[in-house]
Amino acid sequence: DERFSQLFSGAGKADLIAEKWGWYVIIHRLAGGDPLKIEQATEIEIESAFTYLAYEQDLNRKDKAPNADEYR
């Protein structure tokens, strides 16, 4: 789905981690790095999970960009 393509585009070193760990990277992010929440993270519907991750990614980009045009 094109709506979530940003989640899978190149990110340098992050790509190496994703290549090695696969889906665990996404599960880890959804669980907030808390191993006690991993099972809960795997029960989230995939579209909801991707929407959440895309939103988080946009927030992180916005926080790093000095103006709105740079984070788009």
Side-chain angles (χ1 to χ4, degrees), residues 57-72:
Q57 194 174 59
D58 281 349
L59 283 179
N60 288 333
R61 285 184 182 150
K62 181 180 175 250
D63 290 344
K64 291 179 183 178
N67 64 55
D69 291 333
E70 289 185 28
Y71 98 91
R72 291 181 186 182

Side-chain angles (χ1 to χ4, degrees), residues 7 11 16 31 36-38 40 42 47 54 61-62 64 70 72:
L7 296 174
L16 296 174
L36 300 176
K37 294 181 181 176
I38 288 175
Q40 291 172 318
T42 63
E47 188 169 347
R61 285 184 182 150
K62 181 180 175 250
K64 291 179 183 178
E70 289 185 28
R72 291 181 186 182

